[in-house]
Amino acid sequence: MRRQNDLGKDPIPSLVLKLAIPSMIAQFVNILYSIIDRIYIGNIPETGALALAGVGVCGPIVTLLSSFGTLVGLGGSILVAMRMGEKNQKQAEKILANSFVLLVIFSAVLTILFLIFKNRLLMCFGASETTFPYANTYLSIYTIGTFFALMAMGLNYFITCQGYSTIGMVTVLLGAVTNIVLDPVFIFLLHMDTAGAAIATVISQMVSCLFAAGFLLSKRPPVRITFGGYSLSICRRILSIGISPFLILATDSVIIIIMNSVLQRAGGTDGDLLIASATIVQSFLSLITGPMLGISSGTQAIISYNYGANLAGRIKQAEKNILILCLIFTTLMFIVSRIFPYYFVRVFTSSPEHIELSVWGIKAITLAVIPLSFQYCLVDCLTALGCTKISLSLSLFRKSLYTSFVIIFAFAFQAKTSFFAEPASDLIASAMSTAAFLLVFKKHLEKRNKQIEASENKSAAIQN
């Protein structure tokens, strides 16, 4: 049975588009239904602005929870793609089996830990006495659904890495449509406000989870969920590959938490106003970074599969096409950020103060989104090749810059100038990542080729 896309034989330009576009759409929709939550919440009569600020505090904590799905899902799927490239089907199934167990374990542990410590987390990370009730309600309900969130995200990587990019997109679309339909029902019709938004989100993740699990348990994909063959060494390998993208996502959450905390403290009486506006600004930025992540991570299977098959030419061609696609997308979104920010902000709030600050913030935070393409594409390529230490170092360098700039700008100047921390860190980090990639990429492929040749020579010697 032929996979939907043949990662080792299909023409690279069309293959990149076939994997990148569905993954990009999936990420866009995934971000969109989180934004729709915020739009509905921001328009709750009388309490909308405070509820939006409360949910804004929850946003990075929710992302932090979900990033554990990426830790296992992306780490395991890269290894599965490599083993498929090596035609080692049995080992690929073992990796998926161990990944499934890891997702179950992380879901249970994280649910317990976050329910115990959520109050402290919310107050430490930017909630005020006024916004805490809204944040606490939303996070309490969301945390109960952690199992479905992690499973939906983690398992979807194993669908995409086998060439089923459209099925991966459908997994996300099912959840998104469910959430969009249920949000107004729970929030407004049943008058459940913030709790309604959280319940709708959990149900939507349950739908995505059941669909993804059902597909991977069926006979359709070459590598399916099986039970048995569990190994600590395989689990360690999955986590070692996944730790880089996990920390990238986790630190994304941490730096937003830091920014919220800085805005609350440096902003004084305007703290809640700044956080509500920052929530809107980050929502717009996520419409750029989410699909960009879809392009770079959704095509990692091409890199990993052809690395396993030792097809260096296809890897180079793929990375070139991935980068070009990403640059086209970020250029278009930069233009959008100059022309349409008012209309985006207006759907969240009618408050003139929030609109003015948010429009300004969007224009400030997106100044360097075009060069950011290099950071995303090149770092994710290194991850797909197994160069996790380098990719992690490059990502953490960018996050460290961002955190430093947030604190310096907010306390040295006005609190709102911390929005400039994003473009400043993006420019410097993208230049650093490009230089590192050019130094490492070619040498790493040559090393792989020598390893394959040595292995083949050894096998030939044994046979003779």
Side-chain angles (χ1 to χ4, degrees):
M1 181 178 64
R2 188 181 186 274
R3 292 192 310 277
Q4 185 176 351
N5 299 300
D6 193 320
L7 302 177
K9 294 180 180 179
D10 286 353
I12 288 294
S14 62
L15 186 60
V16 167
L17 288 175
K18 286 177 183 176
L19 265 68
I21 299 301
S23 182
M24 182 180 171
I25 293 171
Q27 283 289 342
F28 176 81
V29 172
N30 198 28
I31 296 296
L32 187 62
Y33 81 75
S34 174
I35 289 174
I36 287 171
D37 259 1
R38 296 173 183 180
I39 291 172
Y40 283 128
I41 290 167
N43 284 283
I44 294 172
E46 298 181 5
T47 62
L50 289 174
L52 182 62
V55 173
V57 173
C58 293
I61 300 175
V62 166
T63 304
L64 181 61
L65 270 171
S66 301
S67 63
F68 283 88
T70 299
L71 169 64
V72 177
L74 193 52
S77 65
I78 286 174
L79 289 175
V80 166
M82 287 182 179
R83 299 301 168 263
M84 291 176 72
E86 296 167 357
K87 309 301 180 186
N88 191 342
Q89 200 82 359
K90 186 176 180 181
Q91 187 64 19
E93 288 195 344
K94 275 189 177 181
I95 293 166
L96 177 51
N98 282 268
S99 298
F100 184 80
V101 170
L102 282 173
L103 286 169
V104 172
I105 293 171
F106 276 121
S107 299
V109 172
L110 289 169
T111 299
I112 295 169
L113 288 177
F114 272 74
L115 285 174
I116 293 172
F117 295 109
K118 64 181 173 60
N119 289 9
R120 294 180 186 176
L121 287 172
L122 290 171
M123 292 306 295
C124 287
F125 298 148
S128 65
E129 290 184 6
T130 310
T131 60
F132 175 80
Y134 305 101
N136 185 50
T137 298
Y138 189 91
L139 189 61
S140 297
I141 296 169
Y142 185 92
T143 302
I144 294 170
T146 297
F147 174 83
F148 303 112
L150 262 64
M151 280 293 177
M153 178 171 285
L155 294 180
N156 208 31
Y157 283 108
F158 294 98
I159 295 173
T160 304
C161 82
Q162 297 185 62
Y164 292 98
S165 52
T166 304
I167 299 296
M169 180 180 68
V170 170
T171 303
V172 178
L173 285 174
L174 282 172
V177 171
T178 303
N179 192 69
I180 291 168
V181 171
L182 293 181
D183 256 342
V185 174
F186 285 111
I187 294 173
F188 299 112
L189 189 62
L190 299 179
H191 305 289
M192 298 181 71
D193 296 344
T194 308
I199 292 169
T201 300
V202 170
I203 293 173
S204 68
Q205 289 168 341
M206 185 188 305
V207 171
S208 292
C209 169
L210 292 174
F211 180 81
F215 180 80
L216 287 172
L217 285 166
S218 72
K219 294 182 179 180
R220 187 173 176 185
V223 179
R224 299 181 288 273
I225 294 175
T226 56
F227 301 94
Y230 304 122
S231 164
L232 284 176
S233 62
I234 292 176
C235 289
R236 282 194 295 267
R237 183 62 177 152
I238 292 166
L239 298 178
S240 69
I241 293 290
I243 193 67
S244 176
F246 163 74
L247 287 176
I248 292 169
L249 285 175
T251 49
D252 272 344
S253 302
V254 170
I255 61 178
I256 295 173
I257 289 168
I258 290 171
M259 186 170 187
N260 286 341
S261 182
V262 168
L263 290 174
Q264 189 65 254
R265 286 160 177 76
T269 55
D270 290 331
D272 289 340
L273 166 66
L274 286 162
I275 290 178
S277 297
T279 301
I280 297 172
V281 171
Q282 289 291 343
S283 296
F284 185 89
L285 183 63
S286 68
L287 288 177
I288 303 174
T289 57
M292 187 159 46
L293 180 65
I295 294 171
S296 61
S297 66
T299 52
Q300 281 181 310
I302 303 172
I303 306 294
S304 299
Y305 183 98
N306 287 286
Y307 181 71
N310 195 32
L311 299 172
R314 287 178 64 82
I315 295 172
K316 294 175 183 177
Q317 189 183 1
E319 187 57 22
K320 179 182 176 181
N321 280 268
I322 293 164
L323 182 57
I324 290 171
L325 182 59
C326 212
L327 285 168
I328 292 170
F329 170 72
T330 51
T331 301
L332 289 173
M333 290 305 293
F334 177 78
I335 294 170
V336 170
S337 72
R338 304 299 107 183
I339 300 173
F340 300 111
Y342 172 82
Y343 303 102
F344 178 83
V345 174
R346 187 62 184 81
V347 299
F348 286 87
T349 179
S350 58
S351 164
E353 280 185 301
H354 286 85
I355 291 172
E356 182 182 1
L357 181 56
S358 300
V359 169
W360 175 87
I362 287 171
K363 291 181 177 180
I365 208 168
T366 55
L367 283 170
V369 292
I370 297 174
L372 188 60
S373 299
F374 290 89
Q375 174 76 13
Y376 271 67
C377 292
L378 302 184
V379 169
D380 278 357
C381 178
L382 291 174
T383 302
L385 293 172
C387 302
T388 52
K389 290 182 180 179
I390 299 171
S391 62
L392 177 59
S393 299
L394 292 171
S395 295
L396 292 181
F397 173 71
R398 173 174 168 254
K399 305 303 170 59
S400 300
L401 280 177
Y402 178 87
T403 303
S404 301
F405 286 147
V406 163
I407 296 169
I408 292 168
F409 291 168
F411 289 103
F413 307 102
Q414 289 181 307
K416 72 174 187 178
T417 60
S418 59
F419 288 118
F420 287 114
E422 179 76 32
S425 58
D426 289 349
L427 279 172
I428 297 170
S430 296
M432 178 69 76
S433 295
T434 302
F437 181 84
L438 293 174
L439 287 171
V440 171
F441 181 64
K442 186 177 179 181
K443 291 180 181 178
H444 190 70
L445 294 183
E446 289 173 351
K447 181 181 177 182
R448 172 65 175 173
N449 186 54
K450 288 178 182 178
Q451 289 174 340
I452 295 294
E453 287 180 353
S455 177
E456 290 175 349
N457 291 336
K458 184 177 179 180
S459 297
I462 292 172
Q463 290 176 358
N464 290 334

